[in-house]
Amino acid sequence: MRMVFGLVLLVGIALAGGAVYLAKDRIAQYQNANAQAQAALAKIVPTQTVYVAKGPLKYGQRLTPEDVRAVDWPENAIPEGTFSDANVLFPENTDELRVVLRAIEKDEAIMSLKVTEPGQDTGLTSRLARGMRAFTIKVDVSSGVSGFLRPGDRVDVYWTGRVNLGRDTVNSGEVTKLIEAAVQLIAVDQSAGGNLNEATIARTVTVAVNPQQVAGLAQAQSTGKLSLSLVGAEDDTVASAIEVDQRSLLGIAEQEAAPEVVKEEVCTIRTRRGAEVVELPIPCTN
């Protein structure tokens, strides 16, 4: 009888120990799951509704409600100029639609700088900042960077022409000089959109410059040849004054003009000796 009691006691102790072990394991799992849930809650970022493009949108395309969709966007990463209200993007008090000014990719946020106001003209006037003017430059395959120019690019403008310095024949000749740095292209030929799919040999490009620059470019274009040099998209350097002529290109040093040798003045008189006329030197009196 005592043996049976002892056996039952041992079994009870073993069961109790197993129950305690299982309970501790369950509690540990619960605590781990709770910690993971707390960490996940800490990572949740407040969001705000932002309208994005359902698919690619091209320059000149009218923007309709079917072209956009609303998504949740992190509040601390919303680009400036986005639309969070459908009534602002598509006003109810007008039937006029916005027009795409720059190519927009799928799932890209619709921003005010890439679309016009409802019913606004999409011509060059809408792309010119206050105080800026549009000026057209004639180009060809060599001066126009082989057709790789796109609206929105920045270019340096070089002038090549003959400098006439009057009697200074030593320094007169053709010169190439940087006259404008990093001016923005707003149109290539008659296209103001930046979504050209292949290189096109343009005949003209239009830049956005101030009135003083317009006068300088007009003078340069009428007196010489203009060439464009494409500036990198991420290039923020400022080009310094650049001027090259034939002598500096070939490394030829300018020769100093030899000083003029003053000839000694000689005075003579003529006298006749028979049938012969002879000149005799005499001291000059003046």
Side-chain angles (χ1 to χ4, degrees):
M1 189 69 181
R2 290 181 179 179
M3 184 177 296
V4 174
F5 177 77
L7 183 59
V8 171
L9 181 61
L10 290 175
V11 172
I13 293 173
L15 292 174
V20 171
Y21 177 79
L22 291 175
K24 290 178 63 177
D25 184 60
R26 291 290 184 182
I27 292 173
Q29 291 179 2
Y30 172 77
Q31 290 176 340
N32 186 32
N34 185 50
Q36 291 178 355
Q38 293 295 331
L41 288 174
K43 291 182 179 180
I44 293 178
V45 177
T47 60
Q48 182 176 331
T49 298
V50 170
Y51 284 87
V52 301
K54 286 184 178 179
L57 301 175
K58 297 181 179 180
Y59 169 79
Q61 180 178 343
R62 294 189 179 277
L63 188 68
T64 65
E66 290 73 25
D67 296 324
V68 302
R69 65 187 181 92
V71 299
D72 293 330
W73 202 292
E75 287 185 353
N76 60 354
I78 296 178
E80 184 178 357
T82 55
F83 295 91
S84 58
D85 188 349
N87 292 328
V88 175
L89 184 57
F90 304 103
E92 295 180 352
N93 58 353
T94 178
D95 294 331
E96 299 287 349
L97 295 175
R98 299 178 186 268
V99 180
V100 178
L101 287 176
R102 302 182 187 177
I104 301 175
E105 300 299 328
K106 183 178 181 296
D107 294 329
E108 183 179 350
I110 306 297
M111 294 187 290
S112 57
L113 60 84
K114 291 194 173 185
V115 294
T116 67
E117 293 295 326
Q120 183 181 358
D121 179 24
T122 60
L124 289 183
T125 54
S126 63
R127 305 175 69 88
L128 289 172
R130 186 173 184 270
M132 303 300 283
R133 305 291 187 267
F135 182 82
T136 299
I137 300 174
K138 297 178 182 179
V139 294
D140 53 29
V141 64
S142 59
S143 62
V145 199
S146 297
F148 290 102
L149 298 176
R150 298 289 183 274
D153 291 342
R154 293 176 300 132
V155 295
D156 293 337
V157 183
Y158 290 84
W159 175 82
T160 300
R162 180 169 293 276
V163 178
N164 186 4
L165 300 179
R167 296 181 178 179
D168 189 359
T169 58
V170 175
N171 294 318
S172 296
E174 282 201 350
V175 173
T176 297
K177 183 175 182 179
L178 174 66
I179 59 173
E180 293 295 343
V183 295
Q184 185 179 19
L185 298 181
I186 57 176
V188 176
D189 282 339
Q190 281 73 47
S191 175
N195 55 345
L196 300 177
N197 295 325
E198 57 184 13
T200 302
I201 305 303
R203 292 176 295 178
T204 60
V205 296
T206 303
V207 297
V209 289
N210 59 46
Q212 180 65 35
Q213 291 172 305
V214 169
L217 289 172
Q219 179 64 218
Q221 189 161 244
S222 65
T223 57
K225 180 182 179 182
L226 297 182
S227 300
L228 307 181
S229 176
L230 186 61
V231 179
E234 303 298 329
D235 190 348
D236 58 355
T237 59
V238 179
S240 58
I242 298 173
E243 181 174 336
V244 177
D245 58 13
Q246 290 179 343
R247 289 185 175 275
S248 61
L249 178 64
L250 300 176
I252 300 175
E254 294 185 2
Q255 297 179 353
E256 296 184 359
E260 295 184 2
V261 178
V262 180
K263 295 182 178 180
E264 184 179 355
E265 187 176 2
V266 178
C267 299
T268 61
I269 61 172
R270 292 183 177 185
T271 182
R272 181 182 294 277
R273 293 180 179 178
E276 183 182 0
V277 177
V278 180
E279 291 188 354
L280 299 175
I282 63 172
C284 297
T285 59
N286 49 1

